[in-house]
Amino acid sequence: MRAFRAAVEAHDMDAVEALLAEDVVFTSPVVFKPYRGRAVTAAILRAVERVFENFRYERAIGDPDGRDHALVFTARVGDRELGGCDFLHLDEDGRIDELTVMVRPLSGAQALQAAMAAQFDRVTEEAREDRTPSAG
């Protein structure tokens, strides 16, 4: 999905949030239970943006006009290099209703888990704030 990729690459987290469906389901690479809802997903993505260093998308996989997309990325967390993929599914309105992230290797996933755990209080606080993009 070009709009999501462009927003992430521009570090425009408000634009990223605007692309999320209200009932989006986010599946983390380091937590078993999925997160549900725009507010918590946006807060998690803001934290990821703070934690990842040298993040870049390498390529997109899928039909540009379809509803399923995969964006392959590389990043660093602390001293760990990692590779991963964002799997996106769009609803009928073109908003992201499913976002699944996978990362490798295990040492990179562990570094990501530790870094995100340090962000947990801020994520919880941001998820409670009303950051919903206004319509108009």
Side-chain angles (χ1 to χ4, degrees):
M1 154 174 238
R2 287 181 288 257
F4 181 82
R5 180 177 181 170
V8 170
E9 289 175 336
H11 305 282
D12 186 348
M13 300 314 289
D14 290 336
V16 169
E17 184 173 357
L19 295 168
L20 301 174
E22 188 64 37
D23 60 348
V24 62
V25 176
F26 174 75
T27 304
S28 164
V30 295
V31 177
F32 177 73
K33 185 178 176 183
Y35 294 92
R36 296 179 187 279
R38 178 188 292 147
V40 69
T41 300
I44 291 167
L45 294 176
R46 288 177 197 281
V48 169
E49 203 261 341
R50 292 188 297 268
V51 185
F52 276 169
E53 300 170 39
N54 300 331
F55 178 89
R56 68 185 177 282
Y57 282 118
E58 300 288 325
R59 67 182 179 278
I61 302 169
D63 176 2
D65 299 319
R67 292 176 58 185
D68 291 294
H69 305 270
L71 298 171
V72 179
F73 65 84
T74 60
R76 194 176 83 241
V77 177
D79 64 349
R80 299 292 181 193
E81 299 288 330
L82 59 88
C85 191
D86 291 337
F87 295 97
L88 309 166
H89 181 270
L90 307 180
D91 66 13
E92 303 81 30
D93 298 321
R95 294 194 186 272
I96 300 166
D97 63 358
E98 293 176 24
L99 172 54
T100 300
V101 180
M102 294 189 182
V103 298
R104 64 160 308 278
L106 178 58
S107 63
Q110 290 168 329
L112 177 59
Q113 181 181 30
M116 289 300 292
Q119 296 281 322
F120 182 76
D121 289 340
R122 186 169 174 184
V123 167
T124 302
E125 181 181 315
E126 287 182 6
R128 288 187 186 135
E129 295 175 5
D130 183 11
R131 301 177 68 98
T132 305
S134 59

